[in-house]
Structures are given as structure tokens and as C-alpha cells.
Amino acid sequence: MTRKLPKRGQHGAVQPFSDEDASIETLSHCSSFSDSTSVADEGGDGSEDTAQEDFQYKLKGFIDSTVDKSAKTRQGALDGLKTAMATRILYEFISERRMTITDSIERCLKKGKGEEQRAAASLACLLCIQLGSGIESEEVFKTLKPIFKTILVDGSANIQARQAVATSLGLCTLVAEDDVLDVQATMECFENLFTRSYARADGTCPSINPQTSQLHTNALLSWALLLTICSANQLKEILRKHLPKLPKLLESEDVNMRIVAGETIALLFELARDTEPEFEFEEWDQLCIKLSALATDCNKHRAKNDKRKQRSVFRDVLKAVEANFQSETIRFGTERMSIDSWVRKRTYDAFREFVGSGMNYHLQANEFIRDVFELGPPILVDSATMKAMKISRFERHLHNSAAFKARTKARSKFRDKRVDVGEF
């Protein structure tokens, strides 16, 4: 059944409770942001207004700098806007300037190179997340979608730009695309990329360099994200076409491709069973054997971190294929949310890819994201309660220092108790 994303509601004047991590910590590398926030925390309403005006002034400066002649300046401006959008709710400010920001993104995608294009592609996603699912984000995406697709299919374009676009196009489509046929067309663009990693007719796997493999992996991730809004009829055709071929990607040399392929298989099984409870896969036994091997992989030629990450993921994938999802609870502020399905997990991971450590703040305050995860309206807390719940930076520093010292002492005692058997 097709899952329709909710439209954005109106923002109230009362501010929801926010984590210190979201509003201050994650902006620390942009000192100008954190300075203005600190002033607001320490002063009264007047200083808060001043800090807000300073913050908006800096944002306007970033917007102006996205058209600077210097590539380094443009890159810094894009990164500054990304950080702000990832860690604050700026709907009203951005809504008034959305087309100006869109024009800047378009210019950077067309004329920029490598890192600048990557930053512009990420900013496009954050812009859509801020605006939510509605006419405003649709206008933004209508402008940027042709450029995204041009870069994505252009084999001569910068590979890092193509990787970034593959990720951004998926989430922008989820948020801002309102035409089912256009969603299908975008999924086909992704298919044209990641299917090049499929095994050949004779069963052999193609030789693909790491950068191209990452492009295919990002395309598969975005394709899987759009699976979550496919209709039952679309899903039936996708299962017939792709489920028999995806298990071969589990043999890829690229650990990220193996993991994403496994998670996509788990997602397809979940969607198939939602549509048809008695769904059966002819090669189920062979698939379970392959997944079990990956969940207990001990190959010496693979890096330890790769094996550890792979084993953890494939234990969950195996459980999913055997009709059992490993639920996870996300806590943010005074609330909590259960990640109890692969659909929910893929959606959550997609948003977190862009907002990063600001995800908890967006779960609390972003009406659109709260609607996506069915959390209801933001929980409103008055300013006096917010200040009572916050601790100062100095207090947090003292707490962290004490915790660090305690850990160090505990580890030292543990090390002292260990005996070197070789010396004995």
C-alpha cells in the first residue's frame, strides 16, 4: 500500500523543548553560531532577540556568499547553511528566501566542482526537510531535479558529486515529489546504476572500482527508500525483477554494498509480507545459508571493523528474513520512538544522514518529520521549564570531566589486575 507523506502544518509561536546537543553542541565548529546561542542562554528576552537577529544576519551573509567568486568562500557558505538547517528549525526564515537559496544551489551544482557540488546537493535536501512536504518544497525540487538527474547519469561528471546526488535525489523525491510516475522514473534512474553491480548472465561478478561501487551503493539506498512509498502492484513487479538478483550482491568485495544489499533484501521481505502474509521465496533456504555465513564471517582477509559491522547487521537481516525484526528505541528529550520495522529504519536513517546529530532536535521540533513518524504535534514546554531543564556549559564540562576521570581509574584498576601469562 502506498504511504503518502503528510503535508506541512503551520508553526506555532511557542518553542518546543530542545536538546543542548542540537541547539548548541553541534554548532560548536561554527563559533559565531554558538556564541550567539550562549548569549541567549545567559541573558533575558532582550538578549535572546539580539542573538536571534545576529544569527539571522549571519545566515543572510552565508546566502550572499554562495555567489562569491571564490570557490572556498562558496563552500564555506554552503557548509554554514547546512549546519544551521541541520540543527535548527528555520521554516519562516527559509520560506521567505527559498527561491534565492534554490538559485544558489542550482548555480553551485552547475558551475561548482567536487566538494562544492556535494555540499550543494546536501543543502538541497536540508532545504526540503525544513520546508516539509508541500507546494514550497515541490517548487524547489522541480527546479533542481533535472540538474540532479543530469549529474547522476553523466559518466564524465565528478564521481563524488554523483555519489552525493544519488543520495540527495532519493530523499528529495520522498519529501517533495507528488507524481507517482515521476517517482517510478527516478527509481529507474537508480536501477540503471546499481544493477551494473549485479552478477553477469554466466554468474560472474563485474569488476568495479571502490568509487563506482560507492555510487552504486548510494543509488541502491535511495531506491530502497522509495520502495517504502510504492504501491502493492509496483512492489509485486519489483519483487519479481530484483529479489532473485539482489542476493548475489552479498558476495560483493565492498562491505558497504554487502550491508546495503542485505538491508534492502530484509526491507523487500517485510513489504512483501505486508502485502501478502503467505509470501514465499523459492531460494529462501540458500539465502538464509548465505546470510548466516555473513552473520558469522571470520575471513582473515577482511578488516576487523568490516567484519564486526557486517556481523551485527546480518544478524538482524537474517532475523528479518525469518520474519522477526529487532526493534530499537530512540529517545529524544522527554519522548521516545520505536524503530519497529525496516520501513521505519530506512526512513529514519535517510533523514539522519543529512541532519546528523540534529536528528533528535528535528524529532522534537520539526512538524514534518514528526508527522512522518506519527509522533503528533511537538510537545510544548514554557521557557521557564526549558531553562530549569538546561545545564550550563561549565556544569556540563565538570560532569564530563568527572565521568572521564572515573572511567580512567576503572580501566587502570582493570589493567593492573591482568596478568601477562607470557612473562610468568
Side-chain angles (χ1 to χ4, degrees):
M1 188 174 181
T2 303
R3 184 168 64 90
K4 185 73 174 176
L5 288 183
K7 300 291 183 183
R8 186 177 191 94
Q10 293 296 316
H11 289 257
V14 187
Q15 189 179 19
F17 171 73
S18 61
D19 279 359
E20 283 286 306
D21 286 345
S23 61
I24 298 176
E25 291 278 319
T26 48
L27 287 174
S28 60
H29 68 279
C30 290
S31 59
S32 58
F33 289 158
S34 57
D35 289 346
S36 63
T37 309
S38 299
V39 171
D41 287 342
E42 293 169 6
D45 294 337
S47 60
E48 285 183 11
D49 291 341
T50 303
Q52 183 67 10
E53 288 174 6
D54 289 345
F55 180 71
Q56 292 191 2
Y57 179 78
K58 292 180 177 74
L59 286 182
K60 291 173 185 175
F62 284 142
I63 293 171
D64 292 341
S65 296
T66 56
V67 295
D68 194 89
K69 291 182 179 180
S70 166
K72 186 175 181 180
T73 301
R74 294 196 303 272
Q75 175 76 43
L78 292 170
D79 289 338
L81 288 170
K82 280 172 54 185
T83 302
M85 289 191 198
T87 52
R88 291 199 179 191
I89 303 302
L90 304 168
Y91 175 75
E92 291 181 7
F93 178 87
I94 288 172
S95 180
E96 295 171 1
R97 300 164 178 83
R98 65 184 184 279
M99 295 319 295
T100 302
I101 298 172
T102 303
D103 290 343
S104 296
I105 293 171
E106 180 180 8
R107 191 179 295 107
C108 291
L109 285 171
K110 286 181 175 179
K111 298 183 178 180
K113 295 179 181 178
E115 286 299 321
E116 184 180 340
Q117 289 176 302
R118 289 184 68 175
S122 296
L123 182 60
C125 259
L126 288 164
L127 180 58
C128 286
I129 290 171
Q130 287 279 344
L131 294 173
S133 186
I135 295 174
E136 293 170 325
S137 59
E138 287 169 13
E139 288 177 350
V140 170
F141 188 49
K142 186 176 181 180
T143 301
L144 298 178
K145 181 171 68 172
I147 305 165
F148 277 163
K149 289 193 173 183
T150 299
I151 294 172
L152 189 64
V153 301
D154 184 1
S156 63
N158 181 281
I159 189 67
Q160 292 183 335
R162 295 179 73 200
Q163 291 168 356
V165 164
T167 304
S168 297
L169 179 59
L171 187 58
C172 284
T173 302
L174 182 83
V175 175
E177 185 61 84
D178 65 340
D179 191 318
V180 175
L181 294 178
D182 285 342
V183 173
Q184 283 183 279
T186 300
M187 290 183 74
E188 287 172 7
C189 283
F190 293 136
E191 287 177 20
N192 290 336
L193 289 174
F194 73 76
T195 53
R196 295 176 190 177
S197 287
Y198 278 177
R200 300 187 184 96
D202 60 2
T204 59
C205 294
S207 178
I208 296 172
N209 67 60
Q211 291 287 349
T212 303
S213 181
Q214 187 61 54
L215 171 63
H216 293 179
T217 301
N218 290 2
L220 180 56
L221 270 171
S222 288
W223 182 79
L225 178 64
L226 298 182
L227 281 177
T228 65
I229 56 172
C230 281
S231 66
N233 288 336
Q234 285 177 280
L235 186 62
K236 191 173 182 180
E237 177 60 22
I238 287 168
L239 287 167
R240 183 196 65 77
K241 183 178 178 182
H242 292 282
L243 192 54
K245 296 178 180 179
L246 278 168
K248 198 68 178 175
L249 292 180
L250 300 175
E251 300 172 20
S252 170
E253 289 296 314
D254 184 350
V255 63
N256 291 323
M257 175 57 86
R258 292 197 299 273
I259 287 172
V260 172
E263 291 180 337
T264 303
I265 290 168
L267 175 63
L268 279 170
F269 267 87
E270 178 179 279
L271 291 168
R273 286 168 178 153
D274 285 345
T275 306
E276 187 181 339
E278 301 301 319
F279 172 77
E280 292 184 2
F281 180 51
E282 290 183 4
E283 300 173 20
W284 188 83
D285 290 333
Q286 297 94 308
L287 176 60
C288 287
I289 291 170
K290 190 175 287 188
L291 292 173
S292 181
L294 288 166
T296 56
D297 189 4
C298 295
N299 285 343
K300 291 183 179 179
H301 70 278
R302 285 178 181 159
K304 285 185 179 180
N305 286 339
D306 287 354
K307 285 189 287 187
R308 190 182 300 113
K309 183 180 178 183
Q310 176 181 283
R311 285 196 293 261
S312 174
V313 170
F314 278 101
R315 282 194 292 269
D316 292 340
V317 171
L318 181 59
K319 289 175 184 175
V321 171
E322 293 172 343
N324 181 24
F325 181 82
Q326 193 71 26
S327 183
E328 177 186 0
T329 300
I330 306 295
R331 291 179 176 82
F332 48 98
T334 58
E335 301 174 83
R336 63 180 61 190
M337 176 180 74
S338 179
I339 305 293
D340 54 6
S341 68
W342 284 98
V343 168
R344 208 170 176 88
K345 182 182 185 321
R346 179 77 279 274
T347 307
Y348 176 82
D349 288 347
F351 283 111
R352 191 179 60 179
E353 173 80 15
F354 291 95
V355 299
S357 57
M359 186 63 185
N360 282 1
Y361 179 65
H362 277 270
L363 283 170
Q364 291 173 267
N366 188 316
E367 292 184 13
F368 165 64
I369 288 184
R370 290 183 67 86
D371 284 343
V372 169
F373 293 105
E374 300 175 336
L375 296 171
I379 295 177
L380 303 178
V381 181
D382 60 68
S383 58
T385 306
M386 284 176 62
K387 288 179 180 178
M389 296 176 77
K390 287 183 179 180
I391 61 173
S392 70
R393 284 187 174 188
F394 180 66
E395 289 173 321
R396 188 167 61 248
H397 172 71
L398 291 178
H399 173 76
N400 290 340
S401 296
F404 176 75
K405 288 177 182 177
R407 282 197 304 271
T408 303
K409 285 182 180 179
R411 287 170 181 166
S412 297
K413 288 179 182 178
F414 177 72
R415 292 189 185 106
D416 291 342
K417 290 179 181 178
R418 290 188 298 190
V419 177
D420 192 336
V421 180
E423 290 181 2
F424 207 68

